[in-house]
Amino acid sequence: MRIGVVVDSACDLPPEFIERHKIQILPITIHLDGQDLIDRRDPETTLRFYRERLGARGDAGSSPFSVEQIRDVFLRKLVLDYDFVFCLTIASSRSPIHANATQASFAILRDYKPIRAQAGIPGPFALRVIDTQNLFVAQAISAVEIVRLIEAGTANPNKIRERAEFIVQNTYGYMVPRDLHYLRVRGQKKGDRSVGWVGAALGTMLDIKPIVRGYRNETGPVAKPRHFDDACARLFTYAGERVRAGLLTPTLGLCYGGDLAEMRALPGYEHLLRTCSEHGVECIESMMSVTGGINVGAGALGLAFAAEPHEADI
């Protein structure tokens, strides 16, 4: 059985990983200063977005592909290339893309048969839409695990689904934003009032950089240190402690809203990488997508892993 993996463009995976494992991208539309562009996770476009600070110019936002657009992505190519597809989406609490993909799946399963028959491909096609219940690099943890299972020879989609859904329920995603005012403005456009005007103004004045956690479709601050570098160092230290305690998958994800050289220069980064290496944990590093940058601002740090349920002690 040919099993494929689809992620939306907010999922932060390294471009070489996407290419090597033939990960398919479900694009997201970016609205930028009166123009629309499609976020397909092109590395050059993403780097230009951050270097030229395009997200700070005028009005900006993002919207998922429609039901019809998602249906067309599958029927044009994916129903021919694969027999079963896992489609992993950004948290359903933060975006309608999961609802759109789920609705599109009914039309895909209704319409695929003549397309495969015309191409001479025997057998049925099936897909599973999975809500990752998280954001950005945290979406990547379950995607990497599915790829690992496929490449290990697991051909039973039900076993892969069960494992993926278990990992989804136990994935912790963290983010440190640089600009609370930007985060507040973008959040308000989506109806998110979690960062109010007073909080943003006071946080900016005191240089507070909250560490925000995503877990099971909920997001909120778990620590409020001052200064970006200090917040990142605390998060790296905490992640190292979780690695030593044992993760559920041999993967730790990192993403950054800008040139990765900036992330690698942050205090605590090198020590975290050594800890991961000593414990057989692979670090995957990715530039944060344009979609992520539009919504949380340039220079944000993301980190994710899967672990047994625990309280955040950062």
Side-chain angles (χ1 to χ4, degrees), residues 40 72 84 116 212 227:
R40 302 184 188 276
D72 290 345
F84 194 104
R116 280 172 70 97
V212 180
H227 314 307

Side-chain angles (χ1 to χ4, degrees), residues 21-48:
H21 300 291
K22 298 182 172 58
I23 306 293
Q24 307 297 311
I25 302 297
L26 193 60
I28 292 174
T29 303
I30 302 299
H31 314 291
L32 192 60
D33 202 17
Q35 296 183 334
D36 288 351
L37 61 91
I38 305 300
D39 182 5
R40 302 184 188 276
R41 294 206 61 90
D42 175 69
E44 292 184 6
T45 301
T46 306
L47 186 57
R48 175 175 172 266

Side-chain angles (χ1 to χ4, degrees), residues 257-292:
D259 194 319
L260 291 181
E262 298 175 14
M263 178 185 74
R264 292 164 182 156
L266 290 170
Y269 167 86
E270 291 289 349
H271 187 265
L272 174 60
L273 254 62
R274 285 196 300 272
T275 301
C276 288
S277 177
E278 290 166 0
H279 290 80
V281 172
E282 179 186 15
C283 275
I284 58 168
E285 300 179 345
S286 171
M287 203 182 314
M288 184 178 285
S289 68
V290 173
T291 300

Side-chain angles (χ1 to χ4, degrees), residues 185-206:
V185 170
R186 296 306 182 221
Q188 284 186 325
K189 286 178 65 65
K190 290 180 172 290
D192 181 358
R193 307 288 175 176
S194 58
V195 180
W197 181 85
V198 174
L202 187 61
T204 300
M205 182 175 66
L206 298 177

Side-chain angles (χ1 to χ4, degrees), residues 9 20 37 42 58 64 89 93 114 121 143 203 237 245 256 260 278 281 284 299 308:
S9 51
R20 182 167 68 249
L37 61 91
D42 175 69
T89 72
S93 61
I121 300 174
T237 298
Y256 183 75
L260 291 181
E278 290 166 0
V281 172
I284 58 168
E308 296 286 355

Side-chain angles (χ1 to χ4, degrees), residues 75-90:
L75 293 182
R76 280 199 308 266
K77 178 175 174 60
L78 297 178
V79 301
L80 300 176
D81 291 349
Y82 301 102
D83 304 312
F84 194 104
V85 167
F86 288 98
C87 179
L88 285 73
T89 72
I90 194 170

